[in-house]
Amino acid sequence: MPFTLPSRALRGPRRRTLLVTAAGAVLLSGCTSDSGPEPDEGDTRAAERARARVARDSAALAERYAAVIAAYPELTELLTPLRAEVVRHAEAFGDSGASTGTPGAASASASPSAAPSAVPAGAGAALAGLATAETELADRRTKALLQVDGEMARLMASVAAAGAGHAFLLREGAK
């Protein structure tokens, strides 16, 4: 009797495919040589500006996650681990202000009138909004890789890949 696999309709990329793609992107970004010339002052300043921008973007995204969690407590289980990763990304790039332990604490730093307007009506729309924000941020970070080198480029590539993974999980959660 021949062994046949059960048929199943694929709705999108499998989680394994996504992880392998993300890992490949990180490995490819790490294929640079560190034996080049020392960076000049302009390169150093550009790298610091890029680092600060990435930290700010991650901190703002963490606040957005916190606002959605506060507005839709039923999404806490899905969003809390993703938000924790975004906080770690901000910390990796030097933002110590994003390291608040509770989701509500990050949104408390935003102005009271800004938080409610940032959260779309409906849990599905809120997840879709977060997915779009993660995708846009991952795309910007991927393009910014050309402006930095070495360890900074590897870290940015890793965070961009994680953001793309977050977007996929958020879109799946919205279904």
Side-chain angles (χ1 to χ4, degrees):
M1 172 177 210
F3 178 73
T4 58
L5 294 173
S7 65
R8 119 180 158 161
L10 297 176
R11 295 188 328 204
R14 292 180 140 173
R15 188 173 299 162
R16 278 180 266 157
T17 304
L18 184 65
L19 292 175
V20 168
T21 303
V26 171
L27 288 174
L28 286 176
S29 70
C31 293
T32 60
S33 171
D34 290 330
S35 62
E38 290 293 316
D40 65 11
E41 187 175 329
D43 290 343
T44 303
R45 276 191 263 147
E48 284 307 311
R49 282 193 307 270
R51 178 183 294 277
R53 185 175 47 253
V54 172
R56 276 192 316 271
D57 289 347
S58 290
L61 185 59
E63 288 182 8
R64 190 166 178 178
Y65 269 96
V68 172
I69 290 170
Y72 302 103
E74 67 272 17
L75 298 176
T76 300
E77 186 177 340
L78 172 66
L79 297 182
T80 299
L82 298 177
R83 181 186 178 277
E85 290 245 340
V86 171
V87 168
R88 283 192 294 275
H89 297 162
E91 291 170 348
F93 287 100
D95 187 318
S96 59
S99 62
T100 56
T102 59
S107 62
S109 65
S111 66
S113 61
S117 65
V119 179
L127 288 175
L130 283 172
T132 299
E134 286 274 18
T135 299
E136 290 171 356
L137 202 50
D139 290 346
R140 274 197 314 245
R141 288 174 176 167
T142 301
K143 289 176 187 170
L145 287 174
L146 299 174
Q147 301 168 1
V148 296
D149 60 334
E151 190 60 30
M152 178 70 160
R154 287 186 278 279
L155 185 57
M156 282 179 66
S158 176
V159 171
H166 291 176
F168 174 78
L169 293 173
L170 290 164
R171 284 189 179 92
E172 286 296 308
K175 291 182 180 180

